[in-house]
């Protein structure tokens, strides 16, 4: 019943790639700041990437910039996170988020997608 339905997690070796998807139901991605966060066991949830309503502005955490790409598909009303050159420290549960303001994260979350990168 989540308004943000995720898919695409999995297990990959170091240097591999995965693509996560996030598809809202009941609202348009063009009306919200969409973002990705991740969380490892015993650690706080951390920011990964976000994209503006229009798709014209994106922001990445320094640890993933140059390796990850966030992109929208307005026809399918979906947000994607393409993850390349994965490293073991990318391991965690990745969450999609929808927010009403650029500066702060929103209160609507996806169910989470587990990502495990082996060494």
């Amino acid at each position: 019943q989540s308004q943000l339905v995720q898919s695409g997690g999995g297990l990959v070796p170091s240097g591999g790639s995965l693509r996560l998807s996030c598809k809202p139901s009941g609202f348009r991605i063009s009306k919200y700041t969409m973002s990705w966060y991740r969380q490892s066991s015993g650690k706080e949830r951390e920011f990964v990437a976000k994209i503006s309503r229009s798709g014209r502005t994106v922001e990445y955490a320094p640890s993933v910039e140059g390796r990850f790409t966030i992109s929208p598909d307005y026809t399918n009303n979906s947000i994607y996170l393409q993850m390349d050159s994965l490293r073991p420290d990318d391991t965690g549960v990745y969450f999609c988020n929808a927010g009403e303001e650029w500066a702060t994260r929103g209160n609507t979350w996806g169910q989470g997608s587990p990502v495990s990168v082996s060494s």
Side-chain angles (χ1 to χ4, degrees), residues 89-100:
D89 59 4
D90 293 318
T91 294
V93 180
Y94 285 68
F95 295 90
C96 183
N97 176 267
E100 298 178 356

Side-chain angles (χ1 to χ4, degrees), residues 4 22 24 27 29 32-35 49-51 70 79 96-98:
L4 295 175
C22 172
F27 65 90
I29 62 170
Y32 293 89
T33 298
M34 303 298 297
S35 59
K50 63 181 177 181
I51 187 167
I70 186 171
I79 291 291
C96 183
N97 176 267

Side-chain angles (χ1 to χ4, degrees), residues 32-46:
Y32 293 89
T33 298
M34 303 298 297
S35 59
W36 291 94
Y37 289 74
R38 67 187 181 188
Q39 187 170 19
S40 300
S41 296
K43 300 184 66 176
E44 294 186 355
R45 193 167 298 183
E46 65 174 347

